[in-house]
Amino acid sequence: MQGDGQRLAAGLIRLLHAMSAGLDLNPTDFQCYMLLRSAGAMTPGEIAQWLKLATGSVTGLIDRMEARGLVVRDRHPEDRRKVVVRLADPSGSMSAGDNPLGIRDAMTAMHARYSEVELEIIADWLNRLGDTLNEISAGMYRG
């Protein structure tokens, strides 16, 4: 399992770089885009925490993404002194399309090999994996 997990991590990093290059973004900007796509609007401080970046780096990242029309800065709904960053396109799609590198087709073909019950177990495992990885990276893993 450990070796498979390491191969998965390496594969995800390669995919991140391939997808970011295909969309003419650097990998960090692409990570921010995907974070906002999955988590919704966030403050720059929250983005910095999630991506493990300095807040000054996040300001430059948001500036680049805003200049490309990918994100919008809005006033925080509860604290007008704060800013939230959200995707400019609420559907979360980019000009290169929703299926860069044929990912949707490849994943659909792979999923077809499994029964509904197996896919439910895999989905549960992925959900728990994501929670565990978030806890580990936040320094909050309790075991």
Side-chain angles (χ1 to χ4, degrees):
M1 287 284 285
Q2 182 176 355
D4 289 338
Q6 291 169 344
R7 278 190 31 238
L8 174 62
L12 289 172
I13 291 168
R14 287 186 67 211
L15 180 61
L16 164 73
H17 285 268
M19 289 177 71
S20 64
L23 296 167
D24 196 29
L25 291 173
N26 71 49
T28 304
D29 292 5
F30 183 72
Q31 283 179 307
C32 181
Y33 175 83
M34 294 305 292
L35 174 62
L36 294 171
R37 185 173 176 170
S38 65
M42 302 178 94
T43 67
E46 291 168 331
I47 293 169
Q49 284 182 310
W50 272 93
L51 298 182
K52 302 295 185 192
L53 297 172
T55 54
S57 298
V58 171
T59 299
L61 179 154
I62 295 167
D63 288 345
R64 288 189 304 274
M65 294 181 71
E66 189 174 43
R68 292 219 23 208
L70 297 174
V71 299
V72 175
R73 287 177 169 107
D74 289 322
R75 288 281 159 220
H76 194 284
E78 296 166 13
D79 185 347
R80 302 232 1 116
R81 296 169 295 174
K82 291 183 180 180
V83 170
V84 292
V85 180
R86 63 174 174 79
L87 293 180
D89 179 355
S91 70
S93 63
M94 297 180 82
S95 59
D98 279 336
N99 195 14
L101 307 176
I103 292 170
R104 181 179 299 126
D105 297 338
M107 297 305 287
T108 299
M110 185 186 73
H111 293 155
R113 299 178 192 154
Y114 295 94
S115 70
E116 288 296 317
V117 170
E118 290 170 324
L119 288 172
E120 288 175 18
I121 292 169
I122 293 167
D124 178 66
W125 184 85
L126 286 170
N127 191 28
R128 290 176 191 222
L129 174 65
D131 291 345
T132 301
L133 293 176
N134 287 336
E135 289 173 7
I136 291 168
S137 63
M140 299 172 34
Y141 182 71
R142 302 282 184 242

